[in-house]
Amino acid sequence: MIANSMKPFLAGSSVIRAMFEEGKRMAKVYGPENVYDFSVGNPGLNPPQEVFDAIDYINHEMDPHDVHSYPSNAGYESTRTAVANDLNKRFGADYTFENIVMTVGAGSAINIIMKCLFDPGDKQIVFAPYFVEYANWARNYGAETLVVPPNEAGGFEPNAEELKKLLCPEVKAVIINNPNNPTGAIYSEESIKAVAEVLKEAEKEYGHPIYIIADEPYRELVYTDAKVAYIPDLYDNTLIAYSWSKSLSMPGDRIGYVAVPPKSDEAEEMCGALVVANRVCGDTNAPNIPQLIVERCIDARADLGYYKKNAADLYEIVHGAGFEAIYPQGAFYLWIKSPVENEKDFVAAAKDERILIVPGSSFASPGWVRASFCISNETIQRSKESWEVLGKKYFG
Amino acid sequence: MIANSMKPFLAGSSVIRAMFEEGKRMAKVYGPENVYDFSVGNPGLNPPQEVFDAIDYINHEMDPHDVHSYPSNAGYESTRTAVANDLNKRFGADYTFENIVMTVGAGSAINIIMKCLFDPGDKQIVFAPYFVEYANWARNYGAETLVVPPNEAGGFEPNAEELKKLLCPEVKAVIINNPNNPTGAIYSEESIKAVAEVLKEAEKEYGHPIYIIADEPYRELVYTDAKVAYIPDLYDNTLIAYSWSKSLSMPGDRIGYVAVPPKSDEAEEMCGALVVANRVCGDTNAPNIPQLIVERCIDARADLGYYKKNAADLYEIVHGAGFEAIYPQGAFYLWIKSPVENEKDFVAAAKDERILIVPGSSFASPGWVRASFCISNETIQRSKESWEVLGKKYFG
């Protein structure tokens, strides 16, 4: 009775659920302070004070009808204007409110982009390691996902040469998630330029646009002097999907946007289609209060320095215990090389030390694991002994 | 470059946009107070005081991490428990929180239901007149919509005999929207029972469940002593899609749920699938603050008596001007018979008198028009003269 097309999702979901239940079981047995859960991506920070002040303003100073009735399907003009102005200021861009469509987080932003781009039989390309929902979402619209293999030798940067091998006329989009989940890498401008060159050639050859979907919820989470490229400067047909889940630490509020660069192909038509897709995909509009919050908090950030310390401390502990890991430039993930070929064995061994991490095969990159450091610094500090015990198992 | 599958939506949308632009143009020419816009379904009421108090509580008394971080994809357990208890109290049902999945409004609720029910090639049945998005949403999942013709002779009640003629093994769902948009009818228990009997037979014959999707955002908007049937009492395989957009007058906040009656087929599996669909369709979870609002406002209602007066006054004005109309039992729509065969001519003539109404063909029911009365009573009163002039055109 449940649709066959839903069944693969249910199987995958039960694995995650089993892990979640196991975490709860362990917390009961060992005490929650003795379980080091690096598996989740739920920010431990609170939103900045500006968010609470904005809610008070919205609830007491605004016309209730403006706050609670339907805005346009695209969102409030005032919110979209604030976003456009912010992007123009930061990136020298030339957006107006009409280039911005407010969405229910980045997930929904990517879904309405896909609804507008894909017909059944179309394809998208992702770079491994990648967030598994990308393929699930594309399947909603009948599109298949081709995977560029993980570029381990090149620091997991997107590999333009490998991308080229996968291109075919059915490809309508390529997803770039930068800063990256799960590797914590910030892609070099050089790599992205190389990807752009390959795509420009392919656009000419096939005679239709190939969009880069720039998934950028981690844009502001940067811990080194690496610069996060503004992709529309390198490639016209870019659609940006953004979420405030991380920068304002309010993922449960579900607020994001799609930005359509004015110089992208038929930008006006695309904006119109995205607005309609917001309705046709069932969301109607992004929730009002979060729209009005972000409008008032466009310059605010959660205390992101907290993650910088977590990044340094967790890297030091894990590296100090003997493991090879990539120092996180951004996002909030430490990407660790498994000391044994099958990283699932490593995940199991870590669990014996009450360390919960996610196998790289969940991101199409076996041989590595992901440790999320959006948890408390105290938990990271307390995990040190367990990492050391784990390291001794492998490195003596 | 925009997917072919999006193009039919864009055409439809430009008609609505044209109407919206025309309304704005008329407001400029004649003054907004002299344009009587009965075309929109955007509630003019403010939410009740309880909503504002709840927001203060959420913003100042709750743990910010509970308010702003990810809840379960199904929503807060506390919110789902409040919904389950409320349904149990009002309908003698036996829900637990596990039967409730919080969603981004009723639109998203119906979309995740469809994602769980439909494989490409499946079908659903709707009763005309019906909300056009039902067919658009089903198409998202590759399902076709079969339409039971409008039952004009039977007061636009669902016609079980006509339903029977359309049933075939591919039909996985039948949508019942009660109280009804656009007719304002509350379906009799007798009609729904007859539908249930036909579906029970078909379930046996085809050997699989056929779900009634009960779309009930207008459940509390009732102006006569008609009773809104609780469909799971009449038919086990019912999935309820609800939204607080109307009862709390907060449509922009996007908050609703799916309720899965425990006695429906494999209810537990269905609940699990709906939760996964919330994620796979891109929403992840219903927005947090609205979830926490409705949990605290489960017994609150906007001033719905206001609509009762609007229903009576608009009916009197329109009927007094010579038009045949169905007295609204619920929702906030007056369903008016066009005095000429092509109701689009009537809509155009009404526009000449600065009255904006929606042609019935937008709901697959030509020959009728919809006038929404969720606007101010003053606008309704001011429109009287225009309705009278319009009436004289047709009835002398």
Side-chain angles (χ1 to χ4, degrees), chain B residues 31 70 82 88 96 105 131 139 159 177 200 213 221 241 246 248 271 276 307 321 358 361 367 372 379 385 387 390 395:
Chain B
Y70 284 118
N88 295 346
T96 73
F131 184 46
R139 219 175 288 136
N159 185 328
N177 172 221
K200 279 176 204 168
I213 302 175
L221 280 67
K246 280 79 185 184
L248 288 177
C271 294
V276 173
Y307 297 135
V358 181
S361 31
S372 170
T379 303
E385 202 186 313
W387 283 106
L390 191 60
F395 311 115

Side-chain angles (χ1 to χ4, degrees), chain A residues 22-331:
Chain A
E22 177 64 9
K24 283 208 296 190
R25 192 195 63 79
M26 286 170 69
K28 255 189 203 160
V29 175
Y30 302 106
E33 71 284 6
N34 297 314
V35 179
Y36 316 117
D37 190 349
F38 296 97
S39 70
V40 294
N42 200 354
L45 287 177
N46 283 339
Q49 183 57 39
E50 288 91 331
V51 166
F52 300 88
D53 296 344
I55 295 172
D56 280 338
Y57 179 85
I58 292 159
N59 200 33
H60 294 290
E61 306 298 327
M62 285 187 68
D63 176 345
H65 189 257
D66 288 343
V67 175
H68 297 286
S69 65
Y70 285 118
S72 138
N73 296 142
Y76 290 101
E77 198 173 307
S78 57
T79 305
R80 296 155 69 204
T81 300
V83 170
N85 291 345
D86 178 61
L87 291 173
N88 295 347
K89 191 177 76 182
R90 293 165 69 194
F91 305 113
D94 55 347
Y95 297 98
T96 73
F97 76 92
E98 293 187 294
N99 301 102
I100 309 296
V101 179
M102 303 303 298
T103 61
V104 180
S108 185
I110 296 174
N111 269 269
I112 65 169
I113 290 171
M114 290 179 171
K115 175 82 186 171
C116 291
L117 293 183
F118 296 146
D119 278 311
D122 282 345
K123 297 183 204 293
Q124 68 171 355
I125 298 180
V126 299
F127 296 95
Y130 71 97
F131 183 46
V132 66
E133 296 288 356
Y134 294 153
N136 297 342
W137 292 335
R139 219 174 289 135
N140 288 339
Y141 312 102
E144 191 193 335
T145 299
L146 308 177
V147 181
V148 178
N151 180 11
E152 193 172 329
F156 294 99
E157 294 267 338
N159 186 326
E161 284 310 305
E162 293 291 327
L163 168 67
K164 206 170 180 173
K165 293 181 195 164
L166 294 180
L167 280 167
C168 59
E170 289 77 28
V171 172
K172 300 289 167 66
V174 173
I175 302 186
I176 293 185
N177 172 221
N178 185 39
N180 189 259
N181 173 12
T183 66
I186 293 175
Y187 294 155
S188 71
E189 191 166 305
E190 201 186 340
S191 303
I192 298 173
K193 261 187 190 158
V195 166
E197 289 313 312
V198 166
L199 292 182
K200 279 175 204 167
E201 269 177 47
E203 284 192 326
K204 257 186 234 158
E205 185 183 342
Y206 304 136
H208 64 71
I210 301 172
Y211 285 90
I212 289 181
I213 301 174
D215 180 25
E216 304 194 339
Y218 299 100
R219 169 166 279 284
E220 291 82 13
L221 280 65
V222 177
Y223 313 119
T224 64
D225 55 6
K227 196 178 153 259
V228 181
Y230 175 69
I231 301 182
D233 278 347
L234 310 176
Y235 188 73
D236 288 353
N237 285 329
T238 297
L239 298 169
I240 298 173
Y242 184 77
S243 156
W244 281 269
S245 293
K246 280 79 184 182
S247 61
L248 288 177
S249 211
M250 44 187 277
D253 291 279
R254 314 308 306 133
I255 185 72
Y257 66 74
V258 179
V260 181
K263 65 181 172 176
S264 63
D265 278 10
E266 297 176 48
E268 196 181 330
E269 196 185 352
M270 179 59 75
C271 294
L274 289 165
V275 174
V276 172
N278 232 359
R279 208 187 67 224
V280 170
C281 290
D283 285 343
T284 309
N285 57 267
N288 282 3
I289 293 175
Q291 287 194 58
L292 296 167
I293 292 173
V294 300
E295 178 181 332
R296 275 155 194 77
C297 297
I298 205 83
D299 293 318
R301 303 280 182 270
D303 176 22
L304 306 178
Y306 189 85
Y307 297 134
K308 186 171 180 172
K309 180 165 166 50
N310 280 359
D313 291 356
L314 182 61
Y315 178 82
E316 197 185 305
I317 288 171
V318 170
H319 191 251
F323 296 97
E324 183 187 336
I326 296 182
Y327 192 90
Q329 296 177 288

Side-chain angles (χ1 to χ4, degrees), chain B residues 4-23:
Chain B
N4 289 323
S5 51
M6 266 303 284
K7 289 191 177 149
F9 302 127
L10 297 179
S13 175
S14 65
V15 173
I16 296 169
R17 197 187 162 86
M19 187 191 263
F20 179 72
E21 295 297 337
E22 177 63 10

